PDB file of all heavy atoms in Angstrom:
ATOM      1  N   GLY A 111     131.214  90.468  91.013  1.00 96.00           N
ATOM      2  CA  GLY A 111     130.660  91.235  92.123  1.00 96.00           C
ATOM      3  C   GLY A 111     131.050  90.770  93.502  1.00 96.00           C
ATOM      4  O   GLY A 111     130.663  91.411  94.493  1.00 96.00           O
ATOM      5  N   VAL A 112     131.808  89.678  93.623  1.00 96.00           N
ATOM      6  CA  VAL A 112     132.155  89.172  94.950  1.00 96.00           C
ATOM      7  C   VAL A 112     133.146  90.117  95.629  1.00 96.00           C
ATOM      8  O   VAL A 112     134.124  90.554  95.032  1.00 96.00           O
ATOM      9  CB  VAL A 112     132.756  87.760  94.864  1.00 96.00           C
ATOM     10  CG1 VAL A 112     133.379  87.355  96.190  1.00 96.00           C
ATOM     11  CG2 VAL A 112     131.675  86.760  94.491  1.00 96.00           C
ATOM     12  N   ALA A 113     132.863  90.447  96.879  1.00 95.00           N
ATOM     13  CA  ALA A 113     133.755  91.283  97.678  1.00 95.00           C
ATOM     14  C   ALA A 113     133.457  91.014  99.137  1.00 95.00           C
ATOM     15  O   ALA A 113     132.427  90.421  99.482  1.00 95.00           O
ATOM     16  CB  ALA A 113     133.557  92.762  97.354  1.00 95.00           C
ATOM     17  N   ARG A 114     134.365  91.447  99.987  1.00 95.00           N
ATOM     18  CA  ARG A 114     134.119  91.355 101.421  1.00 95.00           C
ATOM     19  C   ARG A 114     133.249  92.536 101.819  1.00 95.00           C
ATOM     20  O   ARG A 114     133.683  93.686 101.790  1.00 95.00           O
ATOM     21  CB  ARG A 114     135.427  91.348 102.208  1.00 95.00           C
ATOM     22  CG  ARG A 114     135.212  91.037 103.679  1.00 95.00           C
ATOM     23  CD  ARG A 114     136.500  90.676 104.391  1.00 95.00           C
ATOM     24  NE  ARG A 114     136.258  90.360 105.791  1.00 95.00           N
ATOM     25  CZ  ARG A 114     135.802  89.198 106.242  1.00 95.00           C
ATOM     26  NH1 ARG A 114     135.548  88.228 105.378  1.00 95.00           N
ATOM     27  NH2 ARG A 114     135.613  88.982 107.533  1.00 95.00           N
ATOM     28  N   GLN A 115     132.004  92.247 102.165  1.00 94.00           N
ATOM     29  CA  GLN A 115     131.017  93.270 102.481  1.00 94.00           C
ATOM     30  C   GLN A 115     129.982  92.659 103.416  1.00 94.00           C
ATOM     31  O   GLN A 115     130.018  91.456 103.693  1.00 94.00           O
ATOM     32  CB  GLN A 115     130.357  93.776 101.196  1.00 94.00           C
ATOM     33  CG  GLN A 115     129.758  92.663 100.338  1.00 94.00           C
ATOM     34  CD  GLN A 115     129.427  93.119  98.939  1.00 94.00           C
ATOM     35  OE1 GLN A 115     128.946  94.216  98.728  1.00 94.00           O
ATOM     36  NE2 GLN A 115     129.690  92.264  97.952  1.00 94.00           N
ATOM     37  N   TYR A 116     129.059  93.522 103.889  1.00 93.00           N
ATOM     38  CA  TYR A 116     128.057  92.966 104.800  1.00 93.00           C
ATOM     39  C   TYR A 116     127.218  91.935 104.065  1.00 93.00           C
ATOM     40  O   TYR A 116     126.701  92.182 102.971  1.00 93.00           O
ATOM     41  CB  TYR A 116     127.154  94.051 105.375  1.00 93.00           C
ATOM     42  CG  TYR A 116     126.108  93.468 106.305  1.00 93.00           C
ATOM     43  CD1 TYR A 116     126.456  93.081 107.597  1.00 93.00           C
ATOM     44  CD2 TYR A 116     124.803  93.246 105.871  1.00 93.00           C
ATOM     45  CE1 TYR A 116     125.521  92.514 108.442  1.00 93.00           C
ATOM     46  CE2 TYR A 116     123.858  92.670 106.712  1.00 93.00           C
ATOM     47  CZ  TYR A 116     124.226  92.296 108.001  1.00 93.00           C
ATOM     48  OH  TYR A 116     123.308  91.716 108.830  1.00 93.00           O
ATOM     49  N   CYS A 117     127.071  90.774 104.691  1.00 92.00           N
ATOM     50  CA  CYS A 117     126.327  89.662 104.104  1.00 92.00           C
ATOM     51  C   CYS A 117     125.150  89.328 105.013  1.00 92.00           C
ATOM     52  O   CYS A 117     125.342  88.770 106.108  1.00 92.00           O
ATOM     53  CB  CYS A 117     127.248  88.452 103.921  1.00 92.00           C
ATOM     54  SG  CYS A 117     126.441  87.005 103.216  1.00 92.00           S
ATOM     55  N   GLY A 118     123.952  89.665 104.590  1.00 88.00           N
ATOM     56  CA  GLY A 118     122.775  89.398 105.410  1.00 88.00           C
ATOM     57  C   GLY A 118     122.552  87.928 105.660  1.00 88.00           C
ATOM     58  O   GLY A 118     121.973  87.543 106.679  1.00 88.00           O
ATOM     59  N   ALA A 119     123.013  87.063 104.734  1.00 87.00           N
ATOM     60  CA  ALA A 119     122.806  85.622 104.887  1.00 87.00           C
ATOM     61  C   ALA A 119     123.537  85.065 106.095  1.00 87.00           C
ATOM     62  O   ALA A 119     123.111  84.060 106.674  1.00 87.00           O
ATOM     63  CB  ALA A 119     123.245  84.885 103.621  1.00 87.00           C
ATOM     64  N   VAL A 120     124.660  85.695 106.490  1.00 90.00           N
ATOM     65  CA  VAL A 120     125.419  85.217 107.650  1.00 90.00           C
ATOM     66  C   VAL A 120     125.444  86.235 108.783  1.00 90.00           C
ATOM     67  O   VAL A 120     125.978  85.971 109.852  1.00 90.00           O
ATOM     68  CB  VAL A 120     126.863  84.832 107.246  1.00 90.00           C
ATOM     69  CG1 VAL A 120     126.852  83.686 106.253  1.00 90.00           C
ATOM     70  CG2 VAL A 120     127.622  86.023 106.667  1.00 90.00           C
ATOM     71  N   GLY A 121     124.892  87.438 108.543  1.00 90.00           N
ATOM     72  CA  GLY A 121     124.773  88.441 109.592  1.00 90.00           C
ATOM     73  C   GLY A 121     126.060  89.155 109.944  1.00 90.00           C
ATOM     74  O   GLY A 121     126.175  89.720 111.039  1.00 90.00           O
ATOM     75  N   LYS A 122     127.020  89.198 109.042  1.00 93.00           N
ATOM     76  CA  LYS A 122     128.277  89.894 109.296  1.00 93.00           C
ATOM     77  C   LYS A 122     128.985  90.122 107.959  1.00 93.00           C
ATOM     78  O   LYS A 122     128.517  89.685 106.903  1.00 93.00           O
ATOM     79  CB  LYS A 122     129.173  89.082 110.226  1.00 93.00           C
ATOM     80  CG  LYS A 122     129.553  87.711 109.675  1.00 93.00           C
ATOM     81  CD  LYS A 122     130.430  86.941 110.651  1.00 93.00           C
ATOM     82  CE  LYS A 122     130.822  85.571 110.064  1.00 93.00           C
ATOM     83  NZ  LYS A 122     131.670  84.803 111.013  1.00 93.00           N
ATOM     84  N   ARG A 123     130.131  90.802 108.003  1.00 94.00           N
ATOM     85  CA  ARG A 123     130.922  90.989 106.791  1.00 94.00           C
ATOM     86  C   ARG A 123     131.517  89.659 106.353  1.00 94.00           C
ATOM     87  O   ARG A 123     132.052  88.903 107.164  1.00 94.00           O
ATOM     88  CB  ARG A 123     132.032  92.021 107.027  1.00 94.00           C
ATOM     89  CG  ARG A 123     131.524  93.450 107.119  1.00 94.00           C
ATOM     90  CD  ARG A 123     132.660  94.415 107.383  1.00 94.00           C
ATOM     91  NE  ARG A 123     133.645  94.410 106.313  1.00 94.00           N
ATOM     92  CZ  ARG A 123     133.566  95.091 105.177  1.00 94.00           C
ATOM     93  NH1 ARG A 123     132.494  95.845 104.959  1.00 94.00           N
ATOM     94  NH2 ARG A 123     134.519  95.041 104.259  1.00 94.00           N
ATOM     95  N   ALA A 124     131.392  89.402 105.078  1.00 94.00           N
ATOM     96  CA  ALA A 124     131.901  88.141 104.546  1.00 94.00           C
ATOM     97  C   ALA A 124     132.053  88.274 103.040  1.00 94.00           C
ATOM     98  O   ALA A 124     131.592  89.250 102.430  1.00 94.00           O
ATOM     99  CB  ALA A 124     130.955  86.989 104.893  1.00 94.00           C
ATOM    100  N   ASN A 125     132.693  87.295 102.437  1.00 94.00           N
ATOM    101  CA  ASN A 125     132.820  87.247 100.986  1.00 94.00           C
ATOM    102  C   ASN A 125     131.455  86.919 100.385  1.00 94.00           C
ATOM    103  O   ASN A 125     130.901  85.839 100.650  1.00 94.00           O
ATOM    104  CB  ASN A 125     133.823  86.160 100.594  1.00 94.00           C
ATOM    105  CG  ASN A 125     134.946  86.706  99.751  1.00 94.00           C
ATOM    106  OD1 ASN A 125     135.380  87.819  99.966  1.00 94.00           O
ATOM    107  ND2 ASN A 125     135.402  85.916  98.793  1.00 94.00           N
ATOM    108  N   CYS A 126     130.922  87.813  99.561  1.00 95.00           N
ATOM    109  CA  CYS A 126     129.593  87.540  99.008  1.00 95.00           C
ATOM    110  C   CYS A 126     129.314  88.432  97.817  1.00 95.00           C
ATOM    111  O   CYS A 126     130.002  89.418  97.563  1.00 95.00           O
ATOM    112  CB  CYS A 126     128.509  87.744 100.085  1.00 95.00           C
ATOM    113  SG  CYS A 126     128.310  89.450 100.624  1.00 95.00           S
ATOM    114  N   GLN A 127     128.290  88.049  97.075  1.00 96.00           N
ATOM    115  CA  GLN A 127     127.654  88.907  96.078  1.00 96.00           C
ATOM    116  C   GLN A 127     126.419  89.531  96.722  1.00 96.00           C
ATOM    117  O   GLN A 127     125.809  88.938  97.623  1.00 96.00           O
ATOM    118  CB  GLN A 127     127.210  88.100  94.857  1.00 96.00           C
ATOM    119  CG  GLN A 127     128.338  87.475  94.051  1.00 96.00           C
ATOM    120  CD  GLN A 127     127.797  86.468  93.042  1.00 96.00           C
ATOM    121  OE1 GLN A 127     126.982  85.618  93.394  1.00 96.00           O
ATOM    122  NE2 GLN A 127     128.283  86.530  91.801  1.00 96.00           N
ATOM    123  N   VAL A 128     126.024  90.706  96.248  1.00 96.00           N
ATOM    124  CA  VAL A 128     124.813  91.368  96.726  1.00 96.00           C
ATOM    125  C   VAL A 128     124.006  91.815  95.512  1.00 96.00           C
ATOM    126  O   VAL A 128     124.577  92.353  94.549  1.00 96.00           O
ATOM    127  CB  VAL A 128     125.127  92.570  97.632  1.00 96.00           C
ATOM    128  CG1 VAL A 128     123.841  93.311  98.021  1.00 96.00           C
ATOM    129  CG2 VAL A 128     125.868  92.117  98.895  1.00 96.00           C
ATOM    130  N   ALA A 129     122.707  91.589  95.554  1.00 96.00           N
ATOM    131  CA  ALA A 129     121.832  92.019  94.463  1.00 96.00           C
ATOM    132  C   ALA A 129     120.678  92.829  95.024  1.00 96.00           C
ATOM    133  O   ALA A 129     120.175  92.558  96.122  1.00 96.00           O
ATOM    134  CB  ALA A 129     121.293  90.813  93.703  1.00 96.00           C
ATOM    135  N   VAL A 130     120.259  93.829  94.269  1.00 97.00           N
ATOM    136  CA  VAL A 130     119.086  94.640  94.610  1.00 97.00           C
ATOM    137  C   VAL A 130     117.908  94.096  93.811  1.00 97.00           C
ATOM    138  O   VAL A 130     118.052  93.732  92.636  1.00 97.00           O
ATOM    139  CB  VAL A 130     119.328  96.120  94.274  1.00 97.00           C
ATOM    140  CG1 VAL A 130     118.085  96.954  94.560  1.00 97.00           C
ATOM    141  CG2 VAL A 130     120.521  96.649  95.068  1.00 97.00           C
ATOM    142  N   SER A 131     116.745  94.031  94.445  1.00 96.00           N
ATOM    143  CA  SER A 131     115.567  93.470  93.777  1.00 96.00           C
ATOM    144  C   SER A 131     114.326  94.280  94.083  1.00 96.00           C
ATOM    145  O   SER A 131     114.253  94.983  95.089  1.00 96.00           O
ATOM    146  CB  SER A 131     115.353  92.010  94.205  1.00 96.00           C
ATOM    147  OG  SER A 131     115.260  91.908  95.611  1.00 96.00           O
ATOM    148  N   VAL A 132     113.348  94.174  93.193  1.00 96.00           N
ATOM    149  CA  VAL A 132     112.029  94.784  93.385  1.00 96.00           C
ATOM    150  C   VAL A 132     111.000  93.666  93.313  1.00 96.00           C
ATOM    151  O   VAL A 132     111.011  92.869  92.364  1.00 96.00           O
ATOM    152  CB  VAL A 132     111.724  95.848  92.313  1.00 96.00           C
ATOM    153  CG1 VAL A 132     110.332  96.434  92.535  1.00 96.00           C
ATOM    154  CG2 VAL A 132     112.766  96.957  92.338  1.00 96.00           C
ATOM    155  N   HIS A 133     110.118  93.599  94.306  1.00 95.00           N
ATOM    156  CA  HIS A 133     109.124  92.532  94.399  1.00 95.00           C
ATOM    157  C   HIS A 133     107.714  93.121  94.421  1.00 95.00           C
ATOM    158  O   HIS A 133     107.470  94.130  95.086  1.00 95.00           O
ATOM    159  CB  HIS A 133     109.304  91.719  95.682  1.00 95.00           C
ATOM    160  CG  HIS A 133     110.669  91.149  95.855  1.00 95.00           C
ATOM    161  ND1 HIS A 133     110.925  89.787  95.869  1.00 95.00           N
ATOM    162  CD2 HIS A 133     111.881  91.736  96.035  1.00 95.00           C
ATOM    163  CE1 HIS A 133     112.219  89.580  96.040  1.00 95.00           C
ATOM    164  NE2 HIS A 133     112.818  90.743  96.153  1.00 95.00           N
ATOM    165  N   ALA A 134     106.803  92.491  93.727  1.00 94.00           N
ATOM    166  CA  ALA A 134     105.379  92.804  93.846  1.00 94.00           C
ATOM    167  C   ALA A 134     104.802  91.937  94.954  1.00 94.00           C
ATOM    168  O   ALA A 134     105.107  90.746  95.034  1.00 94.00           O
ATOM    169  CB  ALA A 134     104.659  92.514  92.528  1.00 94.00           C
ATOM    170  N   ALA A 135     103.977  92.532  95.815  1.00 93.00           N
ATOM    171  CA  ALA A 135     103.520  91.766  96.983  1.00 93.00           C
ATOM    172  C   ALA A 135     102.110  92.144  97.406  1.00 93.00           C
ATOM    173  O   ALA A 135     101.679  93.297  97.302  1.00 93.00           O
ATOM    174  CB  ALA A 135     104.481  91.986  98.164  1.00 93.00           C
ATOM    175  N   THR A 136     101.402  91.121  97.883  1.00 91.00           N
ATOM    176  CA  THR A 136     100.176  91.269  98.655  1.00 91.00           C
ATOM    177  C   THR A 136     100.357  90.401  99.899  1.00 91.00           C
ATOM    178  O   THR A 136     101.403  89.788 100.097  1.00 91.00           O
ATOM    179  CB  THR A 136      98.937  90.791  97.865  1.00 91.00           C
ATOM    180  OG1 THR A 136      99.027  89.370  97.702  1.00 91.00           O
ATOM    181  CG2 THR A 136      98.851  91.437  96.502  1.00 91.00           C
ATOM    182  N   ASP A 137      99.324  90.312 100.718  1.00 86.00           N
ATOM    183  CA  ASP A 137      99.403  89.448 101.888  1.00 86.00           C
ATOM    184  C   ASP A 137      99.461  87.974 101.519  1.00 86.00           C
ATOM    185  O   ASP A 137      99.892  87.137 102.310  1.00 86.00           O
ATOM    186  CB  ASP A 137      98.191  89.680 102.798  1.00 86.00           C
ATOM    187  CG  ASP A 137      98.369  90.920 103.664  1.00 86.00           C
ATOM    188  OD1 ASP A 137      99.516  91.224 104.033  1.00 86.00           O
ATOM    189  OD2 ASP A 137      97.351  91.582 103.949  1.00 86.00           O
ATOM    190  N   THR A 138      99.019  87.630 100.307  1.00 85.00           N
ATOM    191  CA  THR A 138      98.895  86.221  99.946  1.00 85.00           C
ATOM    192  C   THR A 138      99.871  85.757  98.873  1.00 85.00           C
ATOM    193  O   THR A 138     100.012  84.554  98.656  1.00 85.00           O
ATOM    194  CB  THR A 138      97.465  85.925  99.450  1.00 85.00           C
ATOM    195  OG1 THR A 138      97.156  86.793  98.342  1.00 85.00           O
ATOM    196  CG2 THR A 138      96.452  86.169 100.569  1.00 85.00           C
ATOM    197  N   ALA A 139     100.532  86.673  98.186  1.00 87.00           N
ATOM    198  CA  ALA A 139     101.434  86.260  97.106  1.00 87.00           C
ATOM    199  C   ALA A 139     102.449  87.358  96.838  1.00 87.00           C
ATOM    200  O   ALA A 139     102.210  88.535  97.103  1.00 87.00           O
ATOM    201  CB  ALA A 139     100.646  85.959  95.830  1.00 87.00           C
ATOM    202  N   SER A 140     103.593  86.950  96.289  1.00 89.00           N
ATOM    203  CA  SER A 140     104.623  87.909  95.907  1.00 89.00           C
ATOM    204  C   SER A 140     105.571  87.240  94.929  1.00 89.00           C
ATOM    205  O   SER A 140     105.638  86.011  94.839  1.00 89.00           O
ATOM    206  CB  SER A 140     105.397  88.407  97.138  1.00 89.00           C
ATOM    207  OG  SER A 140     106.005  87.336  97.826  1.00 89.00           O
ATOM    208  N   CYS A 141     106.308  88.072  94.189  1.00 88.00           N
ATOM    209  CA  CYS A 141     107.282  87.539  93.237  1.00 88.00           C
ATOM    210  C   CYS A 141     108.212  88.666  92.816  1.00 88.00           C
ATOM    211  O   CYS A 141     107.779  89.819  92.706  1.00 88.00           O
ATOM    212  CB  CYS A 141     106.572  86.974  92.008  1.00 88.00           C
ATOM    213  SG  CYS A 141     107.692  86.108  90.853  1.00 88.00           S
ATOM    214  N   PRO A 142     109.500  88.371  92.596  1.00 93.00           N
ATOM    215  CA  PRO A 142     110.408  89.411  92.106  1.00 93.00           C
ATOM    216  C   PRO A 142     109.989  89.907  90.722  1.00 93.00           C
ATOM    217  O   PRO A 142     109.544  89.132  89.880  1.00 93.00           O
ATOM    218  CB  PRO A 142     111.763  88.697  92.044  1.00 93.00           C
ATOM    219  CG  PRO A 142     111.621  87.479  92.897  1.00 93.00           C
ATOM    220  CD  PRO A 142     110.190  87.090  92.816  1.00 93.00           C
ATOM    221  N   LEU A 143     110.161  91.207  90.503  1.00 95.00           N
ATOM    222  CA  LEU A 143     109.913  91.812  89.198  1.00 95.00           C
ATOM    223  C   LEU A 143     111.205  92.167  88.480  1.00 95.00           C
ATOM    224  O   LEU A 143     111.276  92.102  87.256  1.00 95.00           O
ATOM    225  CB  LEU A 143     109.058  93.084  89.348  1.00 95.00           C
ATOM    226  CG  LEU A 143     107.701  92.933  90.026  1.00 95.00           C
ATOM    227  CD1 LEU A 143     107.024  94.286  90.133  1.00 95.00           C
ATOM    228  CD2 LEU A 143     106.821  91.951  89.272  1.00 95.00           C
ATOM    229  N   GLU A 144     112.223  92.587  89.232  1.00 96.00           N
ATOM    230  CA  GLU A 144     113.490  92.998  88.624  1.00 96.00           C
ATOM    231  C   GLU A 144     114.660  92.713  89.563  1.00 96.00           C
ATOM    232  O   GLU A 144     114.487  92.637  90.778  1.00 96.00           O
ATOM    233  CB  GLU A 144     113.487  94.489  88.266  1.00 96.00           C
ATOM    234  CG  GLU A 144     113.084  94.785  86.828  1.00 96.00           C
ATOM    235  CD  GLU A 144     114.078  94.230  85.814  1.00 96.00           C
ATOM    236  OE1 GLU A 144     115.124  93.673  86.205  1.00 96.00           O
ATOM    237  OE2 GLU A 144     113.799  94.337  84.606  1.00 96.00           O
TER     238      GLU A 144
END
Side-chain angles (χ1 to χ4, degrees):
V112 168
R114 189 165 181 80
Q115 54 194 320
Y116 179 77
C117 179
V120 297
K122 60 181 181 180
R123 287 179 62 83
N125 236 36
C126 67
Q127 295 168 312
V128 175
V130 177
S131 55
V132 179
H133 305 244
T136 68
D137 280 328
T138 57
S140 59
C141 187
L143 302 178
E144 266 295 356

